Amino acid sequence: MTQQQKAEKISKLETRLQLYYKREEEMLSGGVQSYGIGTRNATRYQTDLSAIRNAIKEMEDEISSLKSKSQRRAVGVVPRDW
């Protein structure tokens, strides 16, 4: 992966991460749906809060791994008999 591709991917992930933060904030500040039929009421989130938090954690981890300076490389050794 080239530096330019890495920078583009980080930029996209950071944009998505900001959207997830915004959604989490909406959910925590009263972004729920309420339904009522007669005397019965139900309240629920549009999406699962734990799913939002898991996605945030995954994106933060991926961004930090892309930004880290050290790159992992696999090296193979082939023994030769002269």
Side-chain angles (χ1 to χ4, degrees), residues 24-38:
E24 181 185 36
E25 182 181 335
E26 289 171 359
M27 290 175 71
L28 293 174
S29 65
V32 295
Q33 285 188 335
S34 296
Y35 301 98
I37 299 175

Side-chain angles (χ1 to χ4, degrees), residues 67-80:
K67 285 185 176 181
S68 68
K69 300 266 183 210
S70 64
Q71 292 185 6
R72 296 182 186 176
R73 293 191 180 176
V75 177
V77 178
V78 179
R80 295 188 179 197

Side-chain angles (χ1 to χ4, degrees), residues 5 35 49:
Q5 290 173 332
Y35 301 98
L49 184 60

Side-chain angles (χ1 to χ4, degrees), residues 54-80:
N54 288 339
I56 288 172
K57 176 72 173 139
E58 288 174 10
M59 279 188 270
E60 287 173 342
D61 291 344
E62 190 171 352
I63 289 170
S64 67
S65 70
L66 286 172
K67 285 185 176 181
S68 68
K69 300 266 183 210
S70 64
Q71 292 185 6
R72 296 182 186 176
R73 293 191 180 176
V75 177
V77 178
V78 179
R80 295 188 179 197

